[in-house]
């Protein structure tokens, strides 16, 4: 599929299924390698992906399909904001297959989530973090109206 191919159907967004765990693991391995040059441990990652299906309080995977095939994914997690007295949805593991980029895959994932936030009084917004070296992703997020003006992410990881 080429980026200029407008005959393809719009992406279809849906919850990921537990039987797609191996696919999600592969997509996350690709994401880490491509965006940060990191090789993740497939066993640790696999346990982490499966944990989300075993315990829905950890989050939910969403996928977007193009022509019946998964073309992108993201993990949606809930975070409490005392300042807003509500929940902010955090996006992690956002990945779109290279051949599907430019076909509205992330836009479809994001817009469905945004509509969900707009229609639920207890949901206050959407946040994600992006590696500053990933300028392509930053450009996509800005085009969708997201801003990077307020906060810098600091972390400590074991």
């Amino acid at each position: 599929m080429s980026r200029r191919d407008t005959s393809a159907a719009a992406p279809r967004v849906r919850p990921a299924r537990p039987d797609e765990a191996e696919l999600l693991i592969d997509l996350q391995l690709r994401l880490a390698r491509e965006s940060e040059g990191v090789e993740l441990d497939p066993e640790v990652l696999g346990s982490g992906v499966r944990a989300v299906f075993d315990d829905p309080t950890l989050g939910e995977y969403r996928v977007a399909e193009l022509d019946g095939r998964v073309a992108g994914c993201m993990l949606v997690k809930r975070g409490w904001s005392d300042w807003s007295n509500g929940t902010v949805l955090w996006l992690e593991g956002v990945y779109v297959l290279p051949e599907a980029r430019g076909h509205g895959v992330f836009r479809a994932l994001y817009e469905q989530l945004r509509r969900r936030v707009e229609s639920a009084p207890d949901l206050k917004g959407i946040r994600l973090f992006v590696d500053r070296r990933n300028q392509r992703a930053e450009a996509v997020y800005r085009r969708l109206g997201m801003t990077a003006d307020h906060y810098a992410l600091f972390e400590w990881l074991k």
Side-chain angles (χ1 to χ4, degrees), residues 59-72:
E60 63 179 286
Y61 283 103
R62 308 288 297 173
V63 297
E65 295 180 339
L66 275 179
D67 300 322
R69 295 183 54 228
V70 172

mmCIF file with all atom_site columns, all heavy atoms in Angstrom, residues 59-72:
data_model
loop_
_atom_site.group_PDB
_atom_site.id
_atom_site.type_symbol
_atom_site.label_atom_id
_atom_site.label_alt_id
_atom_site.label_comp_id
_atom_site.label_asym_id
_atom_site.label_entity_id
_atom_site.label_seq_id
_atom_site.pdbx_PDB_ins_code
_atom_site.Cartn_x
_atom_site.Cartn_y
_atom_site.Cartn_z
_atom_site.occupancy
_atom_site.B_iso_or_equiv
_atom_site.pdbx_formal_charge
_atom_site.auth_seq_id
_atom_site.auth_comp_id
_atom_site.auth_asym_id
_atom_site.auth_atom_id
_atom_site.pdbx_PDB_model_num
ATOM 1   N N   . GLY A 1 59 ? -4.553  -1.642 32.057 1.00 0.00 ? 59 GLY A N   1
ATOM 2   C CA  . GLY A 1 59 ? -4.701  -0.879 30.826 1.00 0.00 ? 59 GLY A CA  1
ATOM 3   C C   . GLY A 1 59 ? -5.463  -1.676 29.794 1.00 0.00 ? 59 GLY A C   1
ATOM 4   O O   . GLY A 1 59 ? -5.995  -2.748 30.077 1.00 0.00 ? 59 GLY A O   1
ATOM 5   N N   . GLU A 1 60 ? -5.484  -1.141 28.587 1.00 0.00 ? 60 GLU A N   1
ATOM 6   C CA  . GLU A 1 60 ? -6.153  -1.828 27.480 1.00 0.00 ? 60 GLU A CA  1
ATOM 7   C C   . GLU A 1 60 ? -5.397  -1.542 26.193 1.00 0.00 ? 60 GLU A C   1
ATOM 8   O O   . GLU A 1 60 ? -4.959  -0.420 25.950 1.00 0.00 ? 60 GLU A O   1
ATOM 9   C CB  . GLU A 1 60 ? -7.607  -1.376 27.343 1.00 0.00 ? 60 GLU A CB  1
ATOM 10  C CG  . GLU A 1 60 ? -7.736  0.098  27.015 1.00 0.00 ? 60 GLU A CG  1
ATOM 11  C CD  . GLU A 1 60 ? -9.173  0.575  26.852 1.00 0.00 ? 60 GLU A CD  1
ATOM 12  O OE1 . GLU A 1 60 ? -9.794  0.262  25.821 1.00 0.00 ? 60 GLU A OE1 1
ATOM 13  O OE2 . GLU A 1 60 ? -9.641  1.273  27.766 1.00 0.00 ? 60 GLU A OE2 1
ATOM 14  N N   . TYR A 1 61 ? -5.218  -2.579 25.409 1.00 0.00 ? 61 TYR A N   1
ATOM 15  C CA  . TYR A 1 61 ? -4.616  -2.394 24.100 1.00 0.00 ? 61 TYR A CA  1
ATOM 16  C C   . TYR A 1 61 ? -5.705  -2.111 23.084 1.00 0.00 ? 61 TYR A C   1
ATOM 17  O O   . TYR A 1 61 ? -6.768  -2.740 23.097 1.00 0.00 ? 61 TYR A O   1
ATOM 18  C CB  . TYR A 1 61 ? -3.848  -3.651 23.652 1.00 0.00 ? 61 TYR A CB  1
ATOM 19  C CG  . TYR A 1 61 ? -2.516  -3.802 24.331 1.00 0.00 ? 61 TYR A CG  1
ATOM 20  C CD1 . TYR A 1 61 ? -2.345  -4.701 25.372 1.00 0.00 ? 61 TYR A CD1 1
ATOM 21  C CD2 . TYR A 1 61 ? -1.420  -3.036 23.936 1.00 0.00 ? 61 TYR A CD2 1
ATOM 22  C CE1 . TYR A 1 61 ? -1.117  -4.840 26.000 1.00 0.00 ? 61 TYR A CE1 1
ATOM 23  C CE2 . TYR A 1 61 ? -0.198  -3.167 24.544 1.00 0.00 ? 61 TYR A CE2 1
ATOM 24  C CZ  . TYR A 1 61 ? -0.053  -4.070 25.579 1.00 0.00 ? 61 TYR A CZ  1
ATOM 25  O OH  . TYR A 1 61 ? 1.157   -4.197 26.194 1.00 0.00 ? 61 TYR A OH  1
ATOM 26  N N   . ARG A 1 62 ? -5.440  -1.147 22.219 1.00 0.00 ? 62 ARG A N   1
ATOM 27  C CA  . ARG A 1 62 ? -6.321  -0.836 21.092 1.00 0.00 ? 62 ARG A CA  1
ATOM 28  C C   . ARG A 1 62 ? -5.508  -1.056 19.824 1.00 0.00 ? 62 ARG A C   1
ATOM 29  O O   . ARG A 1 62 ? -4.310  -0.762 19.790 1.00 0.00 ? 62 ARG A O   1
ATOM 30  C CB  . ARG A 1 62 ? -6.787  0.625  21.150 1.00 0.00 ? 62 ARG A CB  1
ATOM 31  C CG  . ARG A 1 62 ? -7.383  1.067  22.464 1.00 0.00 ? 62 ARG A CG  1
ATOM 32  C CD  . ARG A 1 62 ? -8.734  0.504  22.755 1.00 0.00 ? 62 ARG A CD  1
ATOM 33  N NE  . ARG A 1 62 ? -9.694  0.970  21.757 1.00 0.00 ? 62 ARG A NE  1
ATOM 34  C CZ  . ARG A 1 62 ? -10.943 0.521  21.676 1.00 0.00 ? 62 ARG A CZ  1
ATOM 35  N NH1 . ARG A 1 62 ? -11.382 -0.372 22.496 1.00 0.00 ? 62 ARG A NH1 1
ATOM 36  N NH2 . ARG A 1 62 ? -11.753 0.989  20.769 1.00 0.00 ? 62 ARG A NH2 1
ATOM 37  N N   . VAL A 1 63 ? -6.155  -1.565 18.804 1.00 0.00 ? 63 VAL A N   1
ATOM 38  C CA  . VAL A 1 63 ? -5.497  -1.751 17.517 1.00 0.00 ? 63 VAL A CA  1
ATOM 39  C C   . VAL A 1 63 ? -6.320  -1.084 16.432 1.00 0.00 ? 63 VAL A C   1
ATOM 40  O O   . VAL A 1 63 ? -7.522  -0.888 16.572 1.00 0.00 ? 63 VAL A O   1
ATOM 41  C CB  . VAL A 1 63 ? -5.274  -3.245 17.162 1.00 0.00 ? 63 VAL A CB  1
ATOM 42  C CG1 . VAL A 1 63 ? -4.334  -3.911 18.160 1.00 0.00 ? 63 VAL A CG1 1
ATOM 43  C CG2 . VAL A 1 63 ? -6.586  -3.993 17.065 1.00 0.00 ? 63 VAL A CG2 1
ATOM 44  N N   . ALA A 1 64 ? -5.631  -0.733 15.352 1.00 0.00 ? 64 ALA A N   1
ATOM 45  C CA  . ALA A 1 64 ? -6.298  -0.197 14.164 1.00 0.00 ? 64 ALA A CA  1
ATOM 46  C C   . ALA A 1 64 ? -5.986  -1.141 13.020 1.00 0.00 ? 64 ALA A C   1
ATOM 47  O O   . ALA A 1 64 ? -4.834  -1.552 12.832 1.00 0.00 ? 64 ALA A O   1
ATOM 48  C CB  . ALA A 1 64 ? -5.801  1.209  13.848 1.00 0.00 ? 64 ALA A CB  1
ATOM 49  N N   . GLU A 1 65 ? -7.008  -1.481 12.285 1.00 0.00 ? 65 GLU A N   1
ATOM 50  C CA  . GLU A 1 65 ? -6.852  -2.370 11.135 1.00 0.00 ? 65 GLU A CA  1
ATOM 51  C C   . GLU A 1 65 ? -6.995  -1.587 9.845  1.00 0.00 ? 65 GLU A C   1
ATOM 52  O O   . GLU A 1 65 ? -7.811  -0.668 9.754  1.00 0.00 ? 65 GLU A O   1
ATOM 53  C CB  . GLU A 1 65 ? -7.934  -3.452 11.139 1.00 0.00 ? 65 GLU A CB  1
ATOM 54  C CG  . GLU A 1 65 ? -7.868  -4.412 12.283 1.00 0.00 ? 65 GLU A CG  1
ATOM 55  C CD  . GLU A 1 65 ? -8.988  -5.456 12.210 1.00 0.00 ? 65 GLU A CD  1
ATOM 56  O OE1 . GLU A 1 65 ? -10.013 -5.214 11.525 1.00 0.00 ? 65 GLU A OE1 1
ATOM 57  O OE2 . GLU A 1 65 ? -8.845  -6.502 12.857 1.00 0.00 ? 65 GLU A OE2 1
ATOM 58  N N   . LEU A 1 66 ? -6.199  -1.965 8.867  1.00 0.00 ? 66 LEU A N   1
ATOM 59  C CA  . LEU A 1 66 ? -6.344  -1.503 7.491  1.00 0.00 ? 66 LEU A CA  1
ATOM 60  C C   . LEU A 1 66 ? -6.555  -2.740 6.642  1.00 0.00 ? 66 LEU A C   1
ATOM 61  O O   . LEU A 1 66 ? -5.762  -3.679 6.727  1.00 0.00 ? 66 LEU A O   1
ATOM 62  C CB  . LEU A 1 66 ? -5.083  -0.786 7.011  1.00 0.00 ? 66 LEU A CB  1
ATOM 63  C CG  . LEU A 1 66 ? -4.934  0.682  7.328  1.00 0.00 ? 66 LEU A CG  1
ATOM 64  C CD1 . LEU A 1 66 ? -3.602  1.205  6.798  1.00 0.00 ? 66 LEU A CD1 1
ATOM 65  C CD2 . LEU A 1 66 ? -6.066  1.508  6.754  1.00 0.00 ? 66 LEU A CD2 1
ATOM 66  N N   . ASP A 1 67 ? -7.606  -2.747 5.868  1.00 0.00 ? 67 ASP A N   1
ATOM 67  C CA  . ASP A 1 67 ? -7.905  -3.887 5.002  1.00 0.00 ? 67 ASP A CA  1
ATOM 68  C C   . ASP A 1 67 ? -7.878  -5.206 5.765  1.00 0.00 ? 67 ASP A C   1
ATOM 69  O O   . ASP A 1 67 ? -7.358  -6.220 5.283  1.00 0.00 ? 67 ASP A O   1
ATOM 70  C CB  . ASP A 1 67 ? -6.932  -3.930 3.823  1.00 0.00 ? 67 ASP A CB  1
ATOM 71  C CG  . ASP A 1 67 ? -6.999  -2.672 2.977  1.00 0.00 ? 67 ASP A CG  1
ATOM 72  O OD1 . ASP A 1 67 ? -8.118  -2.150 2.791  1.00 0.00 ? 67 ASP A OD1 1
ATOM 73  O OD2 . ASP A 1 67 ? -5.949  -2.202 2.516  1.00 0.00 ? 67 ASP A OD2 1
ATOM 74  N N   . GLY A 1 68 ? -8.415  -5.185 7.002  1.00 0.00 ? 68 GLY A N   1
ATOM 75  C CA  . GLY A 1 68 ? -8.539  -6.404 7.786  1.00 0.00 ? 68 GLY A CA  1
ATOM 76  C C   . GLY A 1 68 ? -7.281  -6.876 8.496  1.00 0.00 ? 68 GLY A C   1
ATOM 77  O O   . GLY A 1 68 ? -7.295  -7.924 9.139  1.00 0.00 ? 68 GLY A O   1
ATOM 78  N N   . ARG A 1 69 ? -6.201  -6.108 8.404  1.00 0.00 ? 69 ARG A N   1
ATOM 79  C CA  . ARG A 1 69 ? -4.947  -6.490 9.070  1.00 0.00 ? 69 ARG A CA  1
ATOM 80  C C   . ARG A 1 69 ? -4.554  -5.422 10.074 1.00 0.00 ? 69 ARG A C   1
ATOM 81  O O   . ARG A 1 69 ? -4.690  -4.229 9.790  1.00 0.00 ? 69 ARG A O   1
ATOM 82  C CB  . ARG A 1 69 ? -3.824  -6.649 8.036  1.00 0.00 ? 69 ARG A CB  1
ATOM 83  C CG  . ARG A 1 69 ? -4.091  -7.802 7.071  1.00 0.00 ? 69 ARG A CG  1
ATOM 84  C CD  . ARG A 1 69 ? -2.953  -8.016 6.088  1.00 0.00 ? 69 ARG A CD  1
ATOM 85  N NE  . ARG A 1 69 ? -1.675  -8.183 6.757  1.00 0.00 ? 69 ARG A NE  1
ATOM 86  C CZ  . ARG A 1 69 ? -0.563  -7.533 6.413  1.00 0.00 ? 69 ARG A CZ  1
ATOM 87  N NH1 . ARG A 1 69 ? -0.561  -6.683 5.403  1.00 0.00 ? 69 ARG A NH1 1
ATOM 88  N NH2 . ARG A 1 69 ? 0.553   -7.731 7.068  1.00 0.00 ? 69 ARG A NH2 1
ATOM 89  N N   . VAL A 1 70 ? -4.042  -5.844 11.228 1.00 0.00 ? 70 VAL A N   1
ATOM 90  C CA  . VAL A 1 70 ? -3.603  -4.882 12.233 1.00 0.00 ? 70 VAL A CA  1
ATOM 91  C C   . VAL A 1 70 ? -2.451  -4.066 11.658 1.00 0.00 ? 70 VAL A C   1
ATOM 92  O O   . VAL A 1 70 ? -1.464  -4.606 11.169 1.00 0.00 ? 70 VAL A O   1
ATOM 93  C CB  . VAL A 1 70 ? -3.174  -5.587 13.535 1.00 0.00 ? 70 VAL A CB  1
ATOM 94  C CG1 . VAL A 1 70 ? -2.531  -4.602 14.501 1.00 0.00 ? 70 VAL A CG1 1
ATOM 95  C CG2 . VAL A 1 70 ? -4.387  -6.251 14.193 1.00 0.00 ? 70 VAL A CG2 1
ATOM 96  N N   . ALA A 1 71 ? -2.608  -2.743 11.708 1.00 0.00 ? 71 ALA A N   1
ATOM 97  C CA  . ALA A 1 71 ? -1.609  -1.832 11.155 1.00 0.00 ? 71 ALA A CA  1
ATOM 98  C C   . ALA A 1 71 ? -0.984  -0.954 12.225 1.00 0.00 ? 71 ALA A C   1
ATOM 99  O O   . ALA A 1 71 ? 0.028   -0.306 11.976 1.00 0.00 ? 71 ALA A O   1
ATOM 100 C CB  . ALA A 1 71 ? -2.254  -0.953 10.080 1.00 0.00 ? 71 ALA A CB  1
ATOM 101 N N   . GLY A 1 72 ? -1.585  -0.914 13.417 1.00 0.00 ? 72 GLY A N   1
ATOM 102 C CA  . GLY A 1 72 ? -1.056  -0.095 14.487 1.00 0.00 ? 72 GLY A CA  1
ATOM 103 C C   . GLY A 1 72 ? -1.694  -0.448 15.808 1.00 0.00 ? 72 GLY A C   1
ATOM 104 O O   . GLY A 1 72 ? -2.731  -1.119 15.850 1.00 0.00 ? 72 GLY A O   1
#
